[in-house]
């Protein structure tokens, strides 16, 4: 498996694991976040994903906590040129939506918290039906032209609106998104494989899926609803228990364990390696502690064979 992946139409090469920053300043305190970031870079990682809204959902938080911690780490380490930083706009409580004014205010606020001059990849985080795709495409083009971002991506948009963005930007000579960030994992296959993967292929876009480990479900540590009681991620994990039957999800975890045992690796590594085998550029995975990071990073060098992929395809067929 390649040790780095080029983001199309850029000069950015990224490690095939994208470190999720949603834990920074939330379930990971400042020192834990610094430790995870240090360990990630020491292991060869260079691609870090955050968003201006992280972690506004937590009690007492207002958004921007993750970017603030990441910015402090970048400044403390003096390694801005060695890492690729992605962040997002559209969901911060004070700058919700994709109006031009909101987006430019959001990028300026993000750059201040990150303590950098430009982000490498800037996502439209969530769609805003009140703003046409054409206007959004022009706004994000202008963000790049202003020097605040080097490239753009699109995250939680319908397939129709996402495709329209690519088509319009291509036709009008605007900045074309270089990446999409879909919800994709072994328990969430159908939408990506049927709707979003064709867009990525047609327009040569990198794919950086979020919830790659189904909010921890695919690490094998949750087997029943009682297992998630008291977890900071309970609301996110509840979605997997409610969207499909628990037994089907456990069947997937059992298949992951079969492969992991045969390979003498962790379940987490296999779940991420599956996505890489499916052609994604770099799955996003977060780690609250450095102990959790080891299995995440191991996925980059784990090549699943056709039989192993087929076994996981079969087990996750109810979700495809």
């Amino acid at each position: 498996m390649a040790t780095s992946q080029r983001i199309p139409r850029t000069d950015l090469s990224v490690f095939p694991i994208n470190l999720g920053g949603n834990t920074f300043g939330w379930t990971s305190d400042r020192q834990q976040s610094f430790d995870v970031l240090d360990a990630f870079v020491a292991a060869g990682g260079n691609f870090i994903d955050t968003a201006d809204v992280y972690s506004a959902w937590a009690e007492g938080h207002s958004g921007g906590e993750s970017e603030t911690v990441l910015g402090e780490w970048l400044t403390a380490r003096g390694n801005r040129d060695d890492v690729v930083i992605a962040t997002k706009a559209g969901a911060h409580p004070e700058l919700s939506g994709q109006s031009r004014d909101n987006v430019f205010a959001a990028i300026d606020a993000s750059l201040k918290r990150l303590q950098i001059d430009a982000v490498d990849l800037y996502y439209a985080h969530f769609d805003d039906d009140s703003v046409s795709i054409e206007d959004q495409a022009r706004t994000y083009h202008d963000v790049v032209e202003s020097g605040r971002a080097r490239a753009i991506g699109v995250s939680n948009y319908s397939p129709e609106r996402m495709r329209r963005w690519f088509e319009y930007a291509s036709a009008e000579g605007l900045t074309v998104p270089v990446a999409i960030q879909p919800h994709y994992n072994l328990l969430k296959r159908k939408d990506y494989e049927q709707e979003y993967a064709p867009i990525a292929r047609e327009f040569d876009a990198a794919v950086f899926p979020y919830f790659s480990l189904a909010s921890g479900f695919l690490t094998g540590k949750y087997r029943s609803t009682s297992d998630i009681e008291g977890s900071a991620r309970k609301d996110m994990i509840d979605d997997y228990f409610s969207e499909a039957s628990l037994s089907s999800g456990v069947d997937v975890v059992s298949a992951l364990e079969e492969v992991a045992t045969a390979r003498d690796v962790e379940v987490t590594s296999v779940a991420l390696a599956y996505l890489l085998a499916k052609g994604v550029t770099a799955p996003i995975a977060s780690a609250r502690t450095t102990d959790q990071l080891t299995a995440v990073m191991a996925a980059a060098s784990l090549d699943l064979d056709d039989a192993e992929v087929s076994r996981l395809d079969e087990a996750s067929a109810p979700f495809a």
Side-chain angles (χ1 to χ4, degrees):
M1 189 173 293
T3 55
S4 66
Q5 302 272 22
R6 179 63 62 89
I7 299 179
R9 301 184 302 284
T10 76
D11 60 359
L12 301 171
S13 291
V14 296
F15 187 79
I17 296 295
N18 189 179
L19 181 63
N22 61 315
T23 64
F24 303 155
W26 175 36
T27 55
S28 304
D29 63 23
R30 185 178 185 275
Q31 187 57 55
Q32 288 174 318
S33 300
F34 274 39
D35 290 346
V36 167
L37 285 160
D38 287 341
F40 178 67
V41 171
N46 73 330
F47 189 20
I48 305 161
D49 179 90
T50 186
D52 63 357
V53 69
Y54 299 164
S55 47
W57 56 81
E59 185 176 354
H61 289 207
S62 57
E65 288 82 9
S66 173
E67 289 180 333
T68 297
V69 170
L70 180 53
E72 292 173 353
W73 176 78
L74 288 168
T75 298
R77 299 296 181 261
N79 61 352
R80 172 65 186 99
D81 292 341
D82 300 326
V83 292
V84 176
I85 303 296
T87 193
K88 315 177 193 75
H92 191 283
E94 295 176 5
L95 294 168
S96 178
Q98 298 293 350
S99 70
R100 183 180 181 86
D101 287 347
N102 267 3
V103 172
F104 271 90
I107 185 65
D108 287 341
S110 288
L111 293 176
K112 183 176 181 180
R113 286 188 292 263
L114 290 165
Q115 302 183 43
I116 59 179
D117 296 326
V119 296
D120 298 299
L121 179 59
Y122 197 47
Y123 289 99
H125 199 172
F126 291 92
D127 197 2
D128 179 350
D129 290 339
S130 72
V131 182
S132 72
I133 286 297
E134 293 79 4
D135 285 348
Q136 292 187 48
R138 289 194 175 278
T139 293
Y140 279 81
H141 168 79
D142 289 344
V143 169
V144 173
E145 288 294 295
S146 75
R148 292 170 170 88
R150 295 185 174 91
I152 60 171
V154 184
S155 187
N156 297 281
Y157 282 57
S158 69
E160 296 77 18
R161 297 265 288 181
M162 182 181 286
R163 175 176 290 278
R164 176 58 184 157
W165 190 320
F166 278 97
E167 290 175 343
Y168 179 75
S170 299
E172 295 297 317
L174 303 176
T175 303
V176 178
V178 301
I180 66 171
Q181 188 175 123
H183 185 176
Y184 182 42
N185 58 54
L186 276 158
L187 304 183
K188 185 75 173 178
R189 291 177 53 192
K190 183 177 180 180
D191 289 349
Y192 171 72
E193 292 177 1
Q194 296 186 15
E195 303 286 350
Y196 293 99
I199 296 173
R201 288 193 295 266
E202 181 177 345
F203 294 98
D204 188 27
V207 179
F208 304 120
Y210 67 89
F211 286 164
S212 298
L213 294 171
S215 295
F217 191 101
L218 294 175
T219 65
K221 63 183 177 181
Y222 304 114
R223 295 305 186 99
S224 70
T225 53
S226 62
D227 292 335
I228 67 174
E229 292 303 322
S231 168
R233 292 174 171 269
K234 182 181 184 302
D235 291 343
M236 298 177 183
I237 300 162
D238 269 339
D239 290 341
Y240 292 102
F241 284 104
S242 61
E243 286 178 4
S245 69
L246 176 59
S247 61
S248 294
V250 171
D251 286 346
V252 171
V253 174
S254 295
L256 285 168
E257 289 177 335
E258 288 178 24
V259 176
T261 299
R263 287 295 198 101
D264 193 24
V265 296
E266 298 292 328
V267 168
T268 294
S269 305
V270 179
L272 295 174
Y274 173 83
L275 297 182
L276 290 168
K278 287 293 184 177
V280 309
T281 314
I284 300 169
S286 58
R288 187 178 61 82
T289 65
T290 54
D291 289 343
Q292 295 176 351
L293 187 65
T294 303
V296 168
M297 298 301 279
S301 56
L302 178 61
D303 283 310
L304 299 182
D305 63 32
D306 291 344
E308 291 166 330
V309 173
S310 294
R311 174 71 183 94
L312 296 172
D313 281 340
E314 179 185 9
S316 60
F319 305 97

